[in-house]
Amino acid sequence: MSETISGVWWVGEAPTVQVPGTLVRTGDTWQLDLIGILPVNTYWSDSLSVVPRERIYGACHGKEYTLDGAFLLTTRTPSIQFGQDAGPVADDQSWQRWHGQTLIQGGALPADTLYEEASVEISGLSQWWPQSGLRGPQAAARTAEYNPPKPLVANCPDGTILTVWARTTERSGLRNRSISEHVTISFMRDTGFTLETLQDELINPVRALIAISLDSPVDVHQLRLRLKRPVGDPPGFRIFPIVVDPSSEQGEDDRSSHPILTSNDVDMTALLPQWIEAAKRCGVPMDAAEPQPTVGSLQNQVTQIVNAAETLHRVLHTDDAPQESPLAARVQEALKAAEGFNSRDRRKVVSAVKFTEKSLENRLQELAGELGQEFCAWFFDGHVNHWALITATVRNALSHGYDTTHHIEDDPGALFIILSFTRWVIRFRLLAVAGLPVDQSLITLLANNRKIKGLISQRVINWDELAGRMSQS
């Protein structure tokens, strides 16, 4: 929504003070300019003052709005004192500018409001779920009636039913008729969910899956909600059309991309529930593995992606971690006999030994090895151990500021290849947690993909040569 909307705004469920103002979309945020001051617990001091974000409600053009995650950007007060001669124009108005994260159109809704159904569109969804009633044998037969594709229905955790389906728009005239499909994802839960729960536990994981499958950033748009009907269906209850971040802009599908995974390649009714469940445990690795529209420096990207790989290994191996460490026990006994170490010192040293007993190199080897020996031999061209050694050494040099003689951590080509291989290992391992077959089945799925073929046949670096440089340093 690019146009400006004007109305009155207030805080708290009871609008004791209403302030006029205008709202407009500016980049990724909503900007609210008020003529007046909202009565909130925001104060200024000569040092940093951190205050909670506000939830601001509004009524504009006959519609109610909720601006969530709002923070005060600036406040201006009258420059003169009342009663003084202000000249021809009196400067007697206060003014505030707020920036908000999310706009809900259709109601003044508290944060704990429950919704029982939501629908959303995601750019790239048509590629990820290619079923259609407008192409293929059905379309070629030129049938008189349009038959929509069979929806994909998955029973997800916490009683959520996820449905992928084709919403249609039909236009007809005296001598023309057209049908457009819009692939949509719906979530339904009888017990209801808040907007925060919906976004964190359902939409974000599904968005990450689609982005990883397409190896491209994707956008979420057209999010619509249906309020949960109260028990007893009280008279006068209305299900308002709730729209989140209303906008006329929609993401474009990139037909030139080559998806790694689509709903035709695997049973998504089984994979989707497990993927959503895995997102609760593996949030940091999943976030690092998802393609992002903006990136930092190459060194920072490598550090983050390898840290995410280490985190994923620790999360997946929490239960089988050894309770006792022979090396830690020996260190503890040695410290007891040594002078100058109290009990607190001994605990810190023993804890550090236990934490680092399994090296990052070994963790990376295990993480990749769980994708299968045949897959590792194919994907790394027989150099999985070299990848683990080089990746771990470079990450440690970048994270801890180690001085090296090989200087691989300064080589942009090496950093890019480390980043690419490590990111795909995380992605494949996450998909394997959700039920994607590994080893030869994974090779078969990826063998003809241009992006993967281009990566495994890269000639930017030579794993043997880099490993040799490290061994000589």
Side-chain angles (χ1 to χ4, degrees):
M1 182 173 62
S2 57
E3 69 273 13
T4 299
I5 56 176
S6 302
V8 294
W9 303 87
W10 65 91
V11 292
E13 297 184 19
T16 55
V17 177
Q18 295 183 342
V19 180
T22 59
L23 180 74
V24 68
R25 185 74 168 179
T26 57
D28 295 332
T29 62
W30 296 93
Q31 181 174 298
L32 176 61
D33 289 333
L34 300 176
I35 304 300
I37 295 179
L38 290 175
V40 296
N41 293 325
T42 302
Y43 61 91
W44 300 99
S45 69
D46 56 359
S47 61
L48 177 64
S49 299
V50 181
V51 297
R53 293 200 173 201
E54 295 291 338
R55 196 174 185 89
I56 302 176
Y57 305 109
C60 308
H61 304 312
K63 296 180 181 179
E64 288 187 312
Y65 292 87
T66 303
L67 184 62
D68 190 21
F71 63 91
L72 182 61
L73 191 65
T74 185
T75 295
R76 294 181 183 176
T77 55
S79 58
I80 63 171
Q81 297 293 327
F82 292 116
Q84 294 181 358
D85 184 8
V89 179
D91 183 9
D92 60 355
Q93 292 180 333
S94 298
W95 174 82
Q96 281 186 335
R97 171 167 289 174
W98 293 79
H99 276 183
Q101 181 179 5
T102 302
L103 180 67
I104 304 172
Q105 174 184 291
L109 304 167
D112 58 355
T113 300
L114 290 179
Y115 308 92
E116 62 183 7
E117 186 176 1
S119 66
V120 66
E121 295 181 20
I122 301 177
S123 59
L125 188 56
S126 294
Q127 284 186 291
W128 184 82
W129 191 72
Q131 280 69 23
S132 173
L134 298 176
R135 60 175 181 262
Q138 177 178 316
R142 298 182 181 277
T143 57
E145 298 295 331
Y146 166 79
N147 293 316
K150 181 180 179 181
L152 185 159
V153 181
N155 295 314
C156 298
D158 300 323
T160 301
I161 299 176
L162 185 156
T163 305
V164 185
W165 56 291
R167 177 175 58 85
T168 59
T169 301
E170 184 174 348
R171 296 181 180 179
S172 60
L174 182 62
R175 295 180 181 275
N176 64 78
R177 180 190 179 196
S178 65
I179 297 177
S180 300
E181 290 182 336
H182 306 275
V183 184
T184 304
I185 300 180
S186 296
F187 303 93
M188 182 177 294
R189 183 186 296 176
D190 290 339
T191 57
F193 40 67
T194 64
L195 178 57
E196 182 179 9
T197 298
L198 170 69
Q199 292 175 324
D200 292 346
E201 299 182 7
L202 296 171
I203 293 179
N204 289 348
V206 173
R207 185 204 65 225
L209 175 61
I210 295 171
I212 289 172
S213 299
L214 303 180
D215 189 28
S216 177
V218 297
D219 297 319
V220 174
H221 52 273
Q222 301 296 329
L223 175 56
R224 288 175 165 80
L225 307 170
R226 182 158 63 90
L227 288 169
K228 187 180 186 307
R229 188 179 294 275
V231 177
D233 195 10
F237 176 77
R238 297 176 57 194
I239 301 177
F240 297 98
I242 307 300
V243 181
V244 179
D245 290 333
S247 173
S248 59
E249 300 179 1
Q250 298 186 11
E252 295 284 339
D253 286 352
D254 183 7
R255 295 189 177 185
S256 64
S257 67
H258 303 278
I260 304 299
L261 181 70
T262 72
S263 61
N264 289 339
D265 300 320
V266 66
D267 181 10
M268 287 295 173
T269 61
L271 188 142
L272 273 167
Q274 297 182 77
W275 177 267
I276 291 174
E277 192 66 27
K280 297 178 181 179
R281 297 190 298 147
C282 309
V284 171
M286 190 172 290
D287 182 66
E290 180 182 355
Q292 302 291 341
T294 57
V295 296
S297 67
L298 197 53
Q299 289 85 352
N300 190 45
Q301 291 182 69
V302 170
T303 302
Q304 290 182 338
I305 201 69
V306 182
N307 287 345
E310 183 179 23
T311 300
L312 180 59
H313 181 275
R314 291 184 184 276
V315 170
L316 298 180
H317 294 82
T318 301
D319 296 335
D320 58 7
Q323 299 299 316
E324 299 295 334
S325 167
L327 177 59
R330 288 165 50 199
V331 170
Q332 187 172 28
E333 291 300 320
L335 291 177
K336 286 181 180 179
E339 295 182 359
F341 294 94
N342 56 32
S343 60
R344 183 178 179 182
D345 294 334
R346 291 194 295 270
R347 284 196 302 270
K348 290 175 63 176
V349 174
V350 170
S351 177
V353 170
K354 287 182 178 180
F355 187 80
T356 59
E357 187 168 13
K358 177 170 285 189
S359 67
L360 174 59
E361 178 185 352
N362 290 338
R363 293 185 186 277
L364 294 175
Q365 288 176 347
E366 288 187 8
L367 194 66
E370 289 160 349
L371 297 172
Q373 293 184 355
E374 293 183 30
F375 174 81
C376 285
W378 173 77
F379 186 67
F380 293 99
D381 195 22
H383 300 293
V384 63
N385 291 339
H386 288 343
W387 161 77
L389 168 65
I390 295 166
T391 300
T393 304
V394 167
R395 195 293 302 263
N396 290 337
L398 292 174
S399 295
H400 307 301
Y402 294 155
D403 186 20
T404 68
T405 57
H406 51 72
H407 298 298
I408 297 175
E409 70 277 9
D410 298 324
D411 183 343
L415 293 177
F416 179 77
I417 297 302
I418 290 171
L419 174 67
S420 300
F421 274 91
T422 307
R423 177 177 286 133
W424 279 114
V425 168
I426 295 175
R427 291 173 176 176
F428 295 145
R429 191 65 188 89
L430 287 169
L431 288 167
V433 171
L436 185 72
V438 297
D439 223 0
Q440 185 57 50
S441 298
L442 187 55
I443 296 175
T444 302
L445 175 65
L446 304 173
N448 295 321
N449 186 274
R450 291 186 181 181
K451 290 184 178 180
I452 301 301
K453 288 171 64 177
L455 180 61
I456 63 178
S457 61
Q458 63 84 24
R459 294 295 180 265
V460 177
I461 64 167
N462 182 287
W463 295 111
D464 282 333
E465 188 269 333
L466 291 184
R469 284 169 56 184
M470 284 190 172
S471 64
Q472 295 172 6
S473 61

